[in-house]
Amino acid sequence: MDLNMLRRDTVRFIKADGSVVGPIPATVASAHEAVLAADNIDVRDGETLVRELPGGREEKYLILSADYHPKLVRRHINNGT
């Protein structure tokens, strides 16, 4: 799989302590899943993923489950936080 295909979006993570990690290339595949082509990002359940949109807008998602797979990090998310 070409990992560059997984970099259609730019995201940030808001940690439980309020700190922000990112920007990070990723793909928000749906309102229920985001895929990162990185394994050095420490993101936990309950934190927030912020997806940048055109025009300075953004979408926020609650991370429900962070699953690690070699070469891929999947974040199960819920729109509407």
Side-chain angles (χ1 to χ4, degrees):
M1 172 186 286
D2 180 5
L3 294 181
N4 287 320
M5 292 177 57
L6 301 177
R7 297 178 178 163
R8 297 185 309 214
D9 299 306
T10 300
V11 302
R12 299 183 317 277
F13 293 96
I14 301 173
K15 309 289 284 173
D17 66 4
S19 63
V20 177
V21 176
I24 300 164
T27 292
V28 178
S30 70
H32 304 288
E33 184 175 57
V35 180
L36 285 68
D39 61 1
N40 61 342
I41 313 275
D42 182 24
V43 178
R44 311 273 172 132
D45 299 354
E47 295 177 344
T48 302
L49 179 147
V50 180
R51 176 185 183 193
E52 297 177 11
L53 298 173
R57 297 178 303 135
E58 57 186 33
E59 293 177 335
K60 292 184 179 179
Y61 300 89
L62 174 66
I63 298 172
L64 301 176
S65 174
D67 300 322
Y68 172 79
H69 301 280
K71 301 282 184 191
L72 295 176
V73 179
R74 295 181 185 272
R75 307 290 184 218
H76 296 276
I77 56 179
N78 181 23
N79 192 1
T81 60

